Amino acid sequence: MRPTNSRSGSDSPWRYLRSRPVVRRGLAIAAPVGTILSATNQYDVIAHAQFTPRLWVKLLLNFTIPFTVSMVSAALNYGAGRESTHQQNS
């Protein structure tokens, strides 16, 4: 179900991307993927407890990137859904 924009009456992609199910799905993807990436790429540093600001940035990116990919995928899927709906209505 896509939320509608009450001002224009049309679907808003930004509202859709901020909807709870889409954000939840992004977080559900980012958590395991980020953990696997962190363990794979930074295990030796984490195991020796050598936490530096640079490592924290890397760890943050390990979770941010899959979340961003999930959100971009949702946005593209949203756009594709709108296109197919317009084609069916024509």
Side-chain angles (χ1 to χ4, degrees):
M1 182 170 100
R2 293 194 176 130
T4 58
N5 185 340
S6 60
R7 288 165 64 189
S8 67
S10 62
D11 290 342
S12 165
W14 299 114
R15 187 171 177 156
Y16 173 69
L17 290 175
R18 290 190 317 257
S19 68
R20 187 176 299 241
V22 174
V23 173
R24 234 187 228 163
R25 184 172 48 244
L27 292 172
I29 290 169
V33 172
T35 301
I36 292 167
L37 287 172
S38 296
T40 303
N41 296 326
Q42 308 300 329
Y43 176 76
D44 56 337
V45 180
I46 294 170
H48 291 99
Q50 297 173 347
F51 290 93
T52 63
R54 183 176 174 157
L55 176 64
W56 285 111
V57 170
K58 289 180 180 182
L59 292 175
L60 178 65
L61 288 173
N62 283 338
F63 290 89
T64 303
I65 291 170
F67 179 78
T68 303
V69 169
S70 174
M71 298 305 281
V72 168
S73 176
L76 292 172
N77 188 34
Y78 176 88
R82 286 183 53 84
E83 287 175 11
S84 66
T85 302
H86 288 300
Q87 289 173 355
Q88 290 174 357
N89 292 338
S90 296

